[in-house]
Amino acid sequence: MSVENHRTRVRCDNPKLYRWKSLEANTPFAPFFDLPIYVDKYDRKLANDLVKLISEKSIGDFRKGQEIWLTYNLFDRKEKVVKDFADRIYQTYVEYNKELGYSCLSKDKLWIRGWGTILHAGDYLLEHCHSSNENTYLSGFISLSTLGTTTDFNIPYISFDAGYWKLKNIIGETILFPSWAMHKVDANPTMDKRYSVSFDIFTEESMNHAKINRTKGRNTTGNSVLLSKRISEV
């Protein structure tokens, strides 16, 4: 059974929502998971303006250092495209939560940090997640290139047998998902650069968790959380 047609796949009328959820447990030891992934589409101009920004400012070139992405927040920048991008992300956030029946936080109750990623020929991203603690919230990315690459999601307990859920990277497509979701990007098979922008969204609980548990003086994910900015202030 493929991951797309797996019996844990939750069907819905909204074509933007892809969701896998554990079946009702018959024992107290059965695994539980709920992975909703939301796929939105942003306009080409916004995507092109983001490419121009991260290429001209050399933001996100992993060959200049693997830890660069931990040291800055794209949403600190003053270019109009950055605010437009943040506003559009918030619209997606609202749609996503309403579809799931969850309450939405206002912009002043949400923090965001973003970073560019430039993958050259042969470059790839190992399987990873953005957060896995009890205050984990949401992450996402916008694809800024169409080069035949995919972002591959590991559906809990399913992908081991059914394979990864592979989402084609298409210019302007923006994905929102729980930050604990494991995902990866295989090697760029072309000679062109693969551009994208990733981001994390945090709640007040997330921010407090980072303040308490961070390791001072090092480029760590905990310290990078504290570079986040309220969406209302972008």
Side-chain angles (χ1 to χ4, degrees):
M1 184 180 296
S2 70
V3 67
E4 290 87 357
N5 297 315
H6 198 272
R7 60 199 186 109
T8 60
R9 174 83 181 273
V10 179
R11 304 292 177 177
C12 67
D13 294 332
N14 188 338
K16 296 181 179 181
L17 183 65
Y18 299 81
R19 188 179 190 182
W20 289 262
K21 188 175 182 180
S22 52
L23 303 176
E24 185 175 351
N26 293 318
T27 82
F29 303 106
F32 171 81
F33 63 91
D34 186 0
L35 178 53
I37 301 173
Y38 204 71
V39 183
D40 209 347
K41 180 73 173 178
Y42 295 0
D43 66 77
R44 188 69 173 258
K45 182 180 185 307
L46 187 148
N48 289 340
D49 287 347
L50 285 172
V51 170
K52 183 178 180 181
L53 175 63
I54 66 176
S55 60
E56 288 184 353
K57 304 299 181 182
S58 296
I59 299 171
D61 193 333
F62 274 33
R63 292 193 174 182
K64 295 184 177 180
Q66 288 290 336
E67 293 189 346
I68 288 177
W69 73 278
L70 293 170
T71 63
Y72 71 97
N73 183 2
L74 179 74
F75 293 98
D76 279 334
R77 302 193 64 88
K78 301 303 181 183
E79 287 87 349
K80 182 177 181 297
V81 64
V82 174
K83 176 174 173 48
D84 291 345
F85 185 37
D87 288 342
R88 193 66 182 84
I89 289 170
Y90 185 74
Q91 292 176 22
T92 301
Y93 163 82
V94 171
E95 289 180 15
Y96 177 59
N97 278 277
K98 285 185 175 179
E99 184 64 42
L100 295 170
Y102 301 153
S103 59
C104 298
L105 296 174
S106 57
K107 287 184 177 181
D108 62 321
K109 298 296 184 182
L110 292 171
W111 284 256
I112 192 168
R113 189 181 78 86
W115 60 95
T117 301
I118 303 172
L119 298 183
H120 298 258
D123 290 348
Y124 56 90
L125 297 177
L126 293 172
E127 187 168 332
H128 64 285
C129 72
H130 293 204
S131 177
S132 59
N133 63 64
E134 68 274 21
N135 296 295
T136 292
Y137 203 52
L138 294 171
S139 295
F141 64 87
I142 182 172
S143 295
L144 302 175
S145 302
T146 303
L147 300 176
T149 61
T150 60
T151 298
D152 305 340
F153 284 89
N154 187 333
I155 310 302
Y157 311 106
I158 303 305
S159 288
F160 180 78
D161 290 319
Y164 288 86
W165 184 60
K166 294 178 175 287
L167 181 68
K168 292 182 179 179
N169 300 141
I170 299 172
I171 294 174
E173 279 201 346
T174 301
I175 320 304
L176 202 59
F177 53 90
S179 296
W180 56 260
M182 299 295 293
H183 56 287
K184 66 183 179 71
V185 177
D186 287 337
N188 178 3
T190 76
M191 298 305 296
D192 295 323
K193 295 177 182 177
R194 176 190 180 275
Y195 293 95
S196 63
V197 172
S198 298
F199 55 89
D200 292 327
I201 300 175
F202 304 102
T203 64
E204 186 172 2
E205 290 78 12
S206 311
M207 298 298 292
N208 289 337
H209 182 275
K211 291 175 184 177
I212 294 170
N213 294 283
R214 71 191 180 101
T215 301
K216 295 181 179 180
R218 294 177 56 197
N219 288 334
T220 63
T221 53
N223 286 323
S224 70
V225 172
L226 301 183
L227 298 174
S228 303
K229 191 171 188 176
R230 292 181 194 266
I231 295 181
S232 59
E233 298 175 355
V234 176

